Amino acid sequence: MTDTRQVQKSSSSGRRGGFSLGRILLEGRAFFALIAIIVVFSLLSPVYLSTNNFLIMSSHVAIFGLLAIGMLLVILTGGIDLSVGSTLGLAGCIAGFLMQGVQLDMFGVVLFPPVWVVVILTCLVGALIGTINGVLIAFFKVPAFVATLGLLYVARGAALLMTNGLTYNNLGGKPELGNTGFDWLGFNRLFDVPIGVLVMAVVAIICSILLTRTAFGRWVYSTGGNARAAELSGVPVKRVTVSVYVLSGICAAIAGLVLSSQLTSAGPTAGTTYELTAIAAVVIGGAALTGGRGNVRGTLLGAFVIGFLSDGLVIIGVSSYWQTVFTGAVIILAVLLNSIQYGRRRAAKPADGDASTNTPSAAGAKTKTA
């Protein structure tokens, strides 16, 4: 009996502490996929592997990265937010409307709010949409898919009504009135790094600290792991649910500001299907759609995988139709690998539990026999 226990213990410790190349490749798949993309496209195009091109591609990734960070917070709680693409489009339209001046016919004046006021108001709109999502889901028990799908149409319809289907162009502002436009956000660089990338980095750092260093982060993971058990343990599950949707809406609004600044225009159709790209980035980064597993680092890697893959296909002249096919294939592969990874973990836990429960019973049987 003692020898059997020693064999079981040694084999269990070998599985846990031993080197496993397959496990390393599986858990670091987003990083290795990004390296493979860079290597392949660098061989196919001489302009791909350059600092300037990497910075340009990173500025494109910033849009997906901001959306994906907000989406990660929602998915960690076991939810989903399909409204982020429409929130991005509506936020851009509101910013464009304010940048072109607010005409007050009653007083016969046109107000040009400064950029910081535009940013705050736009983020408040994103927070409002997130609050509506969170309240519907947490307090009225509306399924997250249905609630956010409804807000997707509401936000997109509001943007179309606001603009009559047109686009706000030339968002240059009025410098003489204190409104300098969005050029600084879309085209300026700090230490040769695009401002949009720095904004994404700041948001990523804040969210990473929030998830790993605060009680709120532990509440988010516990809510996604088992909401009922978390609530019985004293976790304010409803408040956490509303909070993550508010943060997702704010991230989408910031992404809308960055995109509008890069294009110096804002249209009601901006961000169409971007919610799917955000979900894909989170999944590629290793998060579980069932909640409770994932991190900001992996999500950013997933966003870079999608962004660098899309831009690389454009650089080598691949048709946009094939780009959609390749992106979809990567998403399917990522979901498959997630199923393999988390399926193994679920299968391993009962095995360990059986061994631990069998040991006391065996000991009891041996004592009883003696």
Side-chain angles (χ1 to χ4, degrees):
M1 182 66 66
T2 304
D3 294 339
T4 304
R5 290 183 193 172
Q6 290 177 349
V7 170
Q8 290 177 347
K9 185 176 181 181
S10 61
S11 61
S12 177
S13 61
R15 288 194 303 269
R16 293 174 184 173
F19 174 80
S20 175
L21 180 60
R23 179 173 58 82
I24 292 175
L25 292 175
L26 188 62
E27 294 181 355
R29 57 188 175 275
F31 173 75
F32 293 118
L34 181 60
I35 297 299
I37 288 171
I38 294 174
V39 171
V40 169
F41 285 111
S42 297
L43 295 175
L44 295 176
S45 173
V47 300
Y48 189 87
L49 188 61
S50 65
T51 302
N52 187 53
N53 187 52
F54 276 11
L55 291 174
I56 293 175
M57 291 191 298
S58 296
S59 65
H60 299 161
V61 172
I63 309 299
F64 301 141
L66 287 166
L67 289 177
I69 291 171
M71 186 68 72
L72 171 67
L73 297 174
V74 172
I75 288 179
L76 285 176
T77 62
I80 199 77
D81 190 353
L82 300 179
S83 65
V84 292
S86 297
T87 302
L88 180 151
L90 178 60
C93 289
I94 290 175
F97 172 76
L98 294 174
M99 294 295 293
Q100 289 196 333
V102 180
Q103 186 170 355
L104 300 178
D105 296 330
M106 183 182 299
F107 301 100
V109 296
V110 179
L111 298 179
F112 289 90
V115 173
W116 65 269
V117 173
V118 174
V119 171
I120 292 175
L121 292 176
T122 304
C123 288
L124 288 176
V125 170
L128 175 62
I129 295 175
T131 301
I132 297 173
N133 279 327
V135 169
L136 288 174
I137 294 165
F139 292 95
F140 293 95
K141 304 302 179 183
V142 179
F145 183 90
V146 177
T148 58
L149 180 63
L151 263 295
L152 178 153
Y153 285 105
V154 170
R156 187 69 69 190
L160 290 168
L161 287 170
M162 181 182 211
T163 62
N164 286 324
L166 303 177
T167 299
Y168 293 117
N169 295 312
N170 303 320
L171 301 181
K174 298 288 184 180
E176 65 274 13
L177 299 176
N179 189 326
T180 56
F182 282 151
D183 291 353
W184 64 274
L185 182 59
F187 297 99
N188 280 8
R189 296 188 176 192
L190 184 63
F191 304 112
D192 206 31
V193 179
I195 298 296
V197 177
L198 295 177
V199 170
M200 179 187 68
V202 170
V203 173
I205 291 171
I206 293 174
C207 288
S208 181
I209 294 174
L210 196 66
L211 288 175
T212 59
R213 305 284 184 177
T214 66
F216 176 77
R218 292 190 293 273
W219 292 346
V220 168
Y221 281 103
S222 61
T223 300
N226 190 325
R228 180 58 180 164
E231 191 171 17
L232 293 175
S233 301
V235 175
V237 172
K238 292 182 179 179
R239 196 170 70 201
V240 169
T241 301
V242 174
S243 297
V244 294
Y245 281 97
V246 170
L247 292 174
S248 178
I250 293 174
C251 287
I254 296 173
L257 289 170
V258 174
L259 180 61
S260 298
S261 67
Q262 291 178 354
L263 301 176
T264 62
S265 65
T269 59
T272 304
T273 72
Y274 277 24
E275 59 276 356
L276 303 180
T277 305
I279 295 172
V282 175
V283 173
I284 292 172
L289 289 175
T290 53
R293 299 186 184 97
N295 55 64
V296 174
R297 181 182 65 255
T299 297
L300 286 182
L301 285 173
F304 273 94
V305 166
I306 293 178
F308 278 26
L309 175 63
S310 300
D311 286 352
L313 292 172
V314 171
I315 290 174
I316 65 175
V318 175
S319 167
S320 60
Y321 305 128
W322 278 108
Q323 293 175 32
T324 305
V325 172
F326 282 124
T327 303
V330 169
I331 294 170
I332 293 172
L333 180 60
V335 173
L336 177 62
L337 293 176
N338 277 10
S339 299
I340 294 173
Q341 179 183 0
Y342 298 128
R344 284 180 178 177
R345 290 183 179 180
R346 285 192 296 268
K349 287 182 179 179
D352 292 340
D354 293 342
S356 61
T357 53
N358 288 337
T359 302
S361 61
K366 184 176 179 181
T367 303
K368 186 176 181 180
T369 304

